[in-house]
Amino acid sequence: MAKKSPSRRRLTENSLEVGQADGFRTGYDHGYWYGQCDAVRNSIQKISAVWPQHVMFVETGKGFPYSPLDEAVGSTLSQMVAKLTIVNAEQPVAEIALQVRPDIVIVLDGLQFDIKQVIAMKEAGIRTAIWMTDDPYYTDMSVTLVPHYDVVFTLERNCVELYRQIGCPSVHYLPFCASPEQYHPINPEMSSRKEISFIGSAYMNRVRFFNGAAQYLATRNTLISGIWWDRLDKFDLLRDKIKLGNWMDPNGTSLAYNASKIVINMHRAHDDPDFNRNKLAITAASPNPRTFEIAACAVLQLCDVRDDLASFYTPGSEIVTYTSPQDLIEKLDYYLHHEQERREIAIRGMWRTLREHTYANRIHTMLSVLFPHSIPVN
């Protein structure tokens, strides 16, 4: 075997030293960053109140992607009430409720839950509540269901008045949130890291928008994951950056968020002709669950504007918004080149999420509404 010349050997040694130095700096940088994230997470005082009631929780029973919601709500309730009975929408819920006599039956989603069971529980004197998960996209169905419940919670601000107008006596705005157990800062492998990512289905409003940003996204280390993305006009340009038809569970989604410098969030349209059941054309003002989940990972989020978004995060300080493909491109480029500013916004967004927008926060609000005269034990 031919020996390397002294100059080639020195070049190899220098390259190795440079690589080791770069690796050390990268490792130190990421270790320091995740240490900061842990310090913020540990500074948040957890809600410890426990209500002395017996709650029956009716899971959607619809499988993924609703199963993580079932799990998050159920596990949170188990820590916040004296007794919890969990069933799902496919079981004889009314029959079970008549046997165990809970203080309240809380139904999640309810679109596939037989309303006859709600009526049977009401006739037996058992209080019922529902937490709507998909407003306003299925109001054609929800308006026929919610009047049968004693208390209605909806994640969409603009549905509150709608439900009151059709006769619901007690309607409350309760947006979704993040599960810190499912979404939190982690340190992914370097090989999985991206500059920009978007996780979600290619509804037509998203397709039209991404068509306008495709040229820029093609020049960056980008990940797009979800169904229907072959509808893009410039699909071939982005083909190698798209995981087509890929569904991710919370662990996979959290990993993808954490592996990204910037995550794009874009809401679905309230008037999509193919996938909505919203003939009343109720507009959407409230942030989607993804808004809170991205923020919980301490990743910079670029989010499209929704009317009520500023009630949850301060734009420019805890989240960044965009209004057009060109605006998105300019802000992506800016924050990719301003790392410290990007991280400061991201960590403020995580702090706000853990302080105000977790399932513990939401369930605390829900139980306070359902049992206003009860005194929880801390």
Side-chain angles (χ1 to χ4, degrees), residues 114-290:
D114 189 350
I115 201 64
K116 292 179 181 178
Q117 299 212 57
V118 180
I119 295 171
M121 289 186 285
K122 193 168 187 176
E123 290 176 346
I126 298 173
R127 294 175 68 213
T128 59
I130 187 169
W131 193 2
M132 304 302 299
T133 64
D134 287 305
D135 284 340
Y137 308 110
Y138 299 100
T139 53
D140 295 354
M141 294 176 281
S142 66
V143 294
T144 68
L145 303 175
V146 294
H148 296 284
Y149 288 86
D150 296 298
V151 185
V152 177
F153 298 95
T154 173
L155 55 59
E156 174 50 54
R157 186 189 68 181
N158 288 345
C159 281
V160 173
E161 187 57 31
L162 168 67
Y163 294 152
R164 288 173 178 166
Q165 288 177 355
I166 62 174
C168 298
S170 180
V171 185
H172 306 271
Y173 180 29
L174 193 67
F176 260 72
C177 49
S179 167
E181 290 71 36
Q182 296 173 348
Y183 294 93
H184 53 84
I186 54 178
N187 199 351
E189 295 290 335
M190 290 300 298
S191 60
S192 68
R193 293 184 181 274
K194 304 293 181 182
E195 290 182 310
I196 302 164
S197 70
F198 177 84
I199 313 297
S201 302
Y203 295 109
M204 283 310 300
N205 69 305
R206 294 173 177 170
V207 169
R208 289 189 291 268
F209 200 99
F210 272 72
N211 281 334
Q215 291 285 356
Y216 177 80
L217 294 174
T219 69
R220 310 306 311 199
N221 185 9
T222 303
L223 167 68
I224 299 172
S225 178
I227 57 177
W228 309 323
W229 284 104
D230 50 350
R231 301 199 288 183
L232 282 169
D233 292 345
K234 298 177 180 178
F235 174 71
D236 287 340
L237 182 65
L238 294 171
R239 183 189 295 270
D240 65 338
K241 301 179 184 296
I242 296 174
K243 288 187 176 181
L244 189 61
N246 187 50
W247 283 93
M248 293 185 182
D249 62 14
N251 288 335
T253 304
S254 178
L255 184 65
Y257 291 161
N258 275 279
S260 307
K261 291 184 176 181
I262 301 174
V263 177
I264 300 171
N265 183 11
M266 185 179 300
H267 293 77
R268 60 188 286 188
H270 75 278
D271 55 356
D272 188 299
D274 298 320
F275 299 100
N276 288 346
R277 301 293 182 268
N278 183 24
K279 293 178 182 176
L280 294 172
I282 304 298
T283 58
S286 304
N288 57 18
R290 185 178 287 114

Side-chain angles (χ1 to χ4, degrees), residues 62-75:
K62 293 164 70 170
F64 190 79
Y66 291 87
S67 50
L69 304 181
D70 290 332
E71 179 183 347
V73 175
S75 62

